Amino acid sequence: MAELTPDKREEYWRRTSRLMWIIMALWVLFSFIIPAFAVQLNDIRIFGFPLGFYMAAQGSLIFYVVACF
């Protein structure tokens, strides 16, 4: 594999850093922000289940699996 030029290394780190911050923000959203509003979300129902329950039991897990891929 060819040696990376300093410009390519900088571009690689910039893109990697941006991806890391996006994933971190989504993790905070699905781990802390949405559960903080679970009581308010329970007024909305999906398939007969309160949305707060659905987000805790299914929505967050689906996001984590998708984020791993």
Side-chain angles (χ1 to χ4, degrees):
M1 184 172 201
E3 183 67 30
L4 291 175
T5 64
D7 290 337
K8 287 194 178 201
R9 270 190 242 140
E10 188 175 315
E11 174 66 17
Y12 172 78
W13 174 246
R14 187 179 63 76
R15 291 176 66 193
T16 301
S17 180
R18 182 178 54 213
L19 179 61
M20 176 191 67
W21 286 111
I22 290 170
I23 294 295
M24 182 70 151
L26 289 172
W27 175 78
V28 167
L29 175 72
F30 280 90
S31 296
F32 298 108
I33 308 277
I34 291 175
F37 294 102
V39 174
Q40 291 88 354
L41 291 173
N42 282 336
D43 293 334
I44 303 168
R45 297 200 170 269
I46 295 179
F47 301 120
F49 295 101
L51 183 59
F53 169 79
Y54 180 77
M55 287 304 295
Q58 300 296 323
S60 295
L61 296 175
I62 291 169
F63 164 74
Y64 297 138
V65 169
V66 169
C68 287
F69 284 108

